[in-house]
Amino acid sequence: MENIRRIVYISGLLARNGIIPAVSVISPYRDMRAYASERLAPFVEVFVDCPLDECERRDPKGLYARAREGDIPMYTGVSDGYEPPEAPEIVLPPDRCSVEEGVQLALNRLKELSLLT
């Protein structure tokens, strides 16, 4: 949670100075995301909806395997929970679309939300 607080603080500073921050963080709990949403406006939640088995398949460092062996405690999705967002503005399914298609999905949705022209 402390990491999220710091990210929200810096994002707020950037936004107040005319910079639109795009932040990618591991935020496995809804209360973390609610904290950010309450303090940043506009706030657009992007859910990268990637199944756990696909995350493990793409893991170049073998972190999921290490977590399954017990070497990494409290690893999101393995030994620690993940609470999916209830109503994200953007959902990207990386196991069903290319990076380019995902970018286009995100841009289209931002235009629909009138956050991008």
Side-chain angles (χ1 to χ4, degrees), residues 28-78:
Y29 307 115
R30 288 185 187 109
D31 63 338
M32 291 177 166
R33 297 185 297 267
Y35 175 86
S37 175
E38 291 164 4
R39 285 159 180 78
L40 298 171
F43 178 86
V44 176
E45 186 172 28
V46 179
F47 177 34
V48 180
D49 188 8
C50 193
L52 184 58
D53 62 334
E54 182 66 12
C55 291
E56 291 186 73
R57 189 185 72 74
R58 294 180 182 200
D59 180 13
K61 296 180 181 178
L63 297 177
Y64 283 96
R66 289 184 51 211
R68 291 203 181 280
E69 293 168 2
D71 293 341
I72 304 174
M74 302 295 291
Y75 198 79
T76 301
V78 176

Side-chain angles (χ1 to χ4, degrees), residues 6-21:
R6 290 175 181 161
I7 291 166
V8 166
Y9 176 76
I10 296 298
S11 295
L13 286 177
L14 291 169
R16 285 191 297 278
N17 285 285
I19 298 169
I20 300 170

Side-chain angles (χ1 to χ4, degrees), residues 1 6 22 83-84 101:
M1 188 62 186
R6 290 175 181 161
E83 300 170 349
E101 291 167 329

